[in-house]
Amino acid sequence: MANQKHLALLQAGAITWIEWRKQNPQIEIDLSTANLQGENLRGANLQGVNLTKVDLSHALLVRTNLMFANLTGANLSQAKLIEANLSQANLSIANFSGADLTQADLSQVNLIGADLSDANLRGAVITDANLIGTNFSNAILNDADLAAAKLIRSNLSFANLIGANLIAADLSEANLYDAEVMTAYLYKANLSKANLTRVHLGSSYLFKANLSEANLTNADLSWTNLRYANLAGANLQRANLRGANLQGANLKGANLQDTIMPDSSRNHS
């Protein structure tokens, strides 16, 4: 339950809140379960604040500082979090559906079980984040930095990941059905047992990626760099590998039925 004094100070305006926080840096602020729907909290300092189960839907949180904040179970649907700092925040099972997180800092966040369907995360920094089971269906993630992120069993179906950095990311058992992942960086990424049916991976960098037992049925892998990638036991039925570089790739036990294979003359190092 929100501390009513803290809530009143926040709603009194930016100047009042900033001054009070400067004078009381050690106070643990509790705004849990508060109704802040549609509030203008642009640039506010909410670092380390308890915001569990708070309603911030449609709120204006542009460049707001939410570092280390606890937003477990919070509702941030349709909120504007452009360039907000959520680094190391706890966002587990939070609702960010349709939220705008363009260029936000989500490094090292906990987003286990959160809903980011239809969210805009263009250019966001989501490195080393815990995204196990997170719903990113239809999300915009192009040019986002997801290096070393844990995306195990996450839902990225129909998501836009064009140009995203997924170096060393763990996408094992993730669902990327019909996702746009062209020109993405997937060096040493783990896509073991992932659903990559109809995925668009054209010109992506998959050097040393693990795609063992992945479902790549009808996938577009044209002009991808798959050097030394592990495709053992993968289903590549009707996949398009035109122009792909498969030098040193492991295709043991892979299903290559009706697969469009690359011209061997293009398989250079």
Side-chain angles (χ1 to χ4, degrees), residues 176-192:
L176 288 102
Y177 178 86
D178 210 7
E180 305 284 350
V181 200
M182 289 85 78
T183 66
Y185 298 90
L186 289 139
Y187 172 65
K188 286 190 174 179
N190 183 7
L191 292 142
S192 175

mmCIF file of all heavy atoms in Angstrom, residues 176-192:
data_model
loop_
_atom_site.group_PDB
_atom_site.id
_atom_site.type_symbol
_atom_site.label_atom_id
_atom_site.label_comp_id
_atom_site.label_asym_id
_atom_site.label_seq_id
_atom_site.Cartn_x
_atom_site.Cartn_y
_atom_site.Cartn_z
ATOM 1 N N LEU A 176 10.299 -17.572 -32.307
ATOM 2 C CA LEU A 176 10.540 -16.462 -33.228
ATOM 3 C C LEU A 176 9.753 -16.655 -34.518
ATOM 4 O O LEU A 176 10.186 -16.259 -35.596
ATOM 5 C CB LEU A 176 12.033 -16.323 -33.540
ATOM 6 C CG LEU A 176 12.901 -15.771 -32.411
ATOM 7 C CD1 LEU A 176 13.661 -16.882 -31.713
ATOM 8 C CD2 LEU A 176 13.877 -14.729 -32.923
ATOM 9 N N TYR A 177 8.590 -17.245 -34.417
ATOM 10 C CA TYR A 177 7.771 -17.514 -35.599
ATOM 11 C C TYR A 177 7.527 -16.241 -36.408
ATOM 12 O O TYR A 177 7.045 -15.231 -35.884
ATOM 13 C CB TYR A 177 6.425 -18.122 -35.182
ATOM 14 C CG TYR A 177 5.498 -18.400 -36.339
ATOM 15 C CD1 TYR A 177 5.587 -19.589 -37.042
ATOM 16 C CD2 TYR A 177 4.551 -17.456 -36.736
ATOM 17 C CE1 TYR A 177 4.746 -19.853 -38.117
ATOM 18 C CE2 TYR A 177 3.709 -17.702 -37.811
ATOM 19 C CZ TYR A 177 3.809 -18.900 -38.506
ATOM 20 O OH TYR A 177 2.979 -19.153 -39.568
ATOM 21 N N ASP A 178 7.917 -16.278 -37.682
ATOM 22 C CA ASP A 178 7.673 -15.170 -38.625
ATOM 23 C C ASP A 178 8.278 -13.837 -38.159
ATOM 24 O O ASP A 178 7.799 -12.762 -38.512
ATOM 25 C CB ASP A 178 6.173 -15.002 -38.880
ATOM 26 C CG ASP A 178 5.881 -14.455 -40.281
ATOM 27 O OD1 ASP A 178 6.820 -14.330 -41.077
ATOM 28 O OD2 ASP A 178 4.710 -14.130 -40.549
ATOM 29 N N ALA A 179 9.324 -13.906 -37.340
ATOM 30 C CA ALA A 179 9.982 -12.676 -36.872
ATOM 31 C C ALA A 179 10.906 -12.112 -37.945
ATOM 32 O O ALA A 179 11.437 -12.847 -38.779
ATOM 33 C CB ALA A 179 10.773 -12.950 -35.597
ATOM 34 N N GLU A 180 11.109 -10.794 -37.916
ATOM 35 C CA GLU A 180 12.022 -10.121 -38.838
ATOM 36 C C GLU A 180 13.362 -9.940 -38.126
ATOM 37 O O GLU A 180 13.474 -9.119 -37.213
ATOM 38 C CB GLU A 180 11.449 -8.748 -39.230
ATOM 39 C CG GLU A 180 10.051 -8.778 -39.819
ATOM 40 C CD GLU A 180 10.032 -9.253 -41.267
ATOM 41 O OE1 GLU A 180 11.120 -9.376 -41.861
ATOM 42 O OE2 GLU A 180 8.935 -9.506 -41.792
ATOM 43 N N VAL A 181 14.372 -10.714 -38.555
ATOM 44 C CA VAL A 181 15.670 -10.689 -37.868
ATOM 45 C C VAL A 181 16.799 -10.432 -38.875
ATOM 46 O O VAL A 181 17.934 -10.849 -38.689
ATOM 47 C CB VAL A 181 15.906 -12.011 -37.095
ATOM 48 C CG1 VAL A 181 16.973 -11.835 -36.007
ATOM 49 C CG2 VAL A 181 14.626 -12.510 -36.427
ATOM 50 N N MET A 182 16.486 -9.747 -39.958
ATOM 51 C CA MET A 182 17.489 -9.486 -40.982
ATOM 52 C C MET A 182 18.627 -8.616 -40.440
ATOM 53 O O MET A 182 18.410 -7.751 -39.590
ATOM 54 C CB MET A 182 16.861 -8.777 -42.185
ATOM 55 C CG MET A 182 15.947 -9.668 -43.013
ATOM 56 S SD MET A 182 14.273 -9.710 -42.353
ATOM 57 C CE MET A 182 13.641 -8.155 -42.953
ATOM 58 N N THR A 183 19.821 -8.883 -40.950
ATOM 59 C CA THR A 183 21.050 -8.134 -40.629
ATOM 60 C C THR A 183 21.327 -8.063 -39.122
ATOM 61 O O THR A 183 22.020 -7.165 -38.655
ATOM 62 C CB THR A 183 21.035 -6.708 -41.215
ATOM 63 O OG1 THR A 183 20.014 -5.910 -40.590
ATOM 64 C CG2 THR A 183 20.803 -6.732 -42.722
ATOM 65 N N ALA A 184 20.799 -9.007 -38.359
ATOM 66 C CA ALA A 184 21.042 -9.038 -36.914
ATOM 67 C C ALA A 184 22.366 -9.727 -36.615
ATOM 68 O O ALA A 184 22.877 -10.519 -37.413
ATOM 69 C CB ALA A 184 19.907 -9.759 -36.199
ATOM 70 N N TYR A 185 22.922 -9.432 -35.447
ATOM 71 C CA TYR A 185 24.184 -10.015 -35.012
ATOM 72 C C TYR A 185 23.891 -11.101 -33.978
ATOM 73 O O TYR A 185 23.445 -10.805 -32.866
ATOM 74 C CB TYR A 185 25.097 -8.944 -34.418
ATOM 75 C CG TYR A 185 25.473 -7.862 -35.402
ATOM 76 C CD1 TYR A 185 24.688 -6.726 -35.534
ATOM 77 C CD2 TYR A 185 26.603 -7.997 -36.210
ATOM 78 C CE1 TYR A 185 25.018 -5.744 -36.460
ATOM 79 C CE2 TYR A 185 26.939 -7.020 -37.129
ATOM 80 C CZ TYR A 185 26.145 -5.888 -37.253
ATOM 81 O OH TYR A 185 26.464 -4.919 -38.166
ATOM 82 N N LEU A 186 24.153 -12.359 -34.361
ATOM 83 C CA LEU A 186 23.844 -13.495 -33.504
ATOM 84 C C LEU A 186 25.085 -14.350 -33.264
ATOM 85 O O LEU A 186 25.002 -15.562 -33.105
ATOM 86 C CB LEU A 186 22.730 -14.329 -34.137
ATOM 87 C CG LEU A 186 21.345 -13.663 -34.125
ATOM 88 C CD1 LEU A 186 20.605 -13.893 -35.432
ATOM 89 C CD2 LEU A 186 20.507 -14.159 -32.962
ATOM 90 N N TYR A 187 26.242 -13.715 -33.200
ATOM 91 C CA TYR A 187 27.494 -14.425 -32.947
ATOM 92 C C TYR A 187 27.418 -15.191 -31.622
ATOM 93 O O TYR A 187 27.099 -14.615 -30.572
ATOM 94 C CB TYR A 187 28.652 -13.423 -32.917
ATOM 95 C CG TYR A 187 29.988 -13.973 -32.479
ATOM 96 C CD1 TYR A 187 30.642 -14.923 -33.246
ATOM 97 C CD2 TYR A 187 30.578 -13.532 -31.301
ATOM 98 C CE1 TYR A 187 31.880 -15.427 -32.850
ATOM 99 C CE2 TYR A 187 31.810 -14.026 -30.891
ATOM 100 C CZ TYR A 187 32.456 -14.975 -31.668
ATOM 101 O OH TYR A 187 33.676 -15.472 -31.268
ATOM 102 N N LYS A 188 27.656 -16.502 -31.714
ATOM 103 C CA LYS A 188 27.624 -17.381 -30.537
ATOM 104 C C LYS A 188 26.298 -17.357 -29.784
ATOM 105 O O LYS A 188 26.231 -17.694 -28.596
ATOM 106 C CB LYS A 188 28.773 -17.048 -29.580
ATOM 107 C CG LYS A 188 30.137 -17.517 -30.093
ATOM 108 C CD LYS A 188 31.206 -17.385 -29.023
ATOM 109 C CE LYS A 188 32.526 -17.984 -29.499
ATOM 110 N NZ LYS A 188 33.599 -17.854 -28.482
ATOM 111 N N ALA A 189 25.223 -16.963 -30.450
ATOM 112 C CA ALA A 189 23.898 -16.988 -29.812
ATOM 113 C C ALA A 189 23.422 -18.438 -29.696
ATOM 114 O O ALA A 189 23.745 -19.283 -30.530
ATOM 115 C CB ALA A 189 22.902 -16.171 -30.620
ATOM 116 N N ASN A 190 22.650 -18.708 -28.661
ATOM 117 C CA ASN A 190 22.102 -20.049 -28.447
ATOM 118 C C ASN A 190 20.636 -20.063 -28.873
ATOM 119 O O ASN A 190 19.781 -19.471 -28.206
ATOM 120 C CB ASN A 190 22.231 -20.448 -26.975
ATOM 121 C CG ASN A 190 21.740 -21.871 -26.727
ATOM 122 O OD1 ASN A 190 21.424 -22.610 -27.657
ATOM 123 N ND2 ASN A 190 21.677 -22.271 -25.466
ATOM 124 N N LEU A 191 20.365 -20.739 -30.003
ATOM 125 C CA LEU A 191 19.006 -20.864 -30.530
ATOM 126 C C LEU A 191 18.577 -22.332 -30.536
ATOM 127 O O LEU A 191 17.709 -22.736 -31.298
ATOM 128 C CB LEU A 191 18.931 -20.276 -31.932
ATOM 129 C CG LEU A 191 19.101 -18.748 -32.012
ATOM 130 C CD1 LEU A 191 19.898 -18.343 -33.230
ATOM 131 C CD2 LEU A 191 17.750 -18.058 -32.018
ATOM 132 N N SER A 192 19.167 -23.110 -29.644
ATOM 133 C CA SER A 192 18.860 -24.529 -29.565
ATOM 134 C C SER A 192 17.369 -24.762 -29.294
ATOM 135 O O SER A 192 16.788 -24.144 -28.405
ATOM 136 C CB SER A 192 19.694 -25.160 -28.448
ATOM 137 O OG SER A 192 19.350 -26.503 -28.275
#
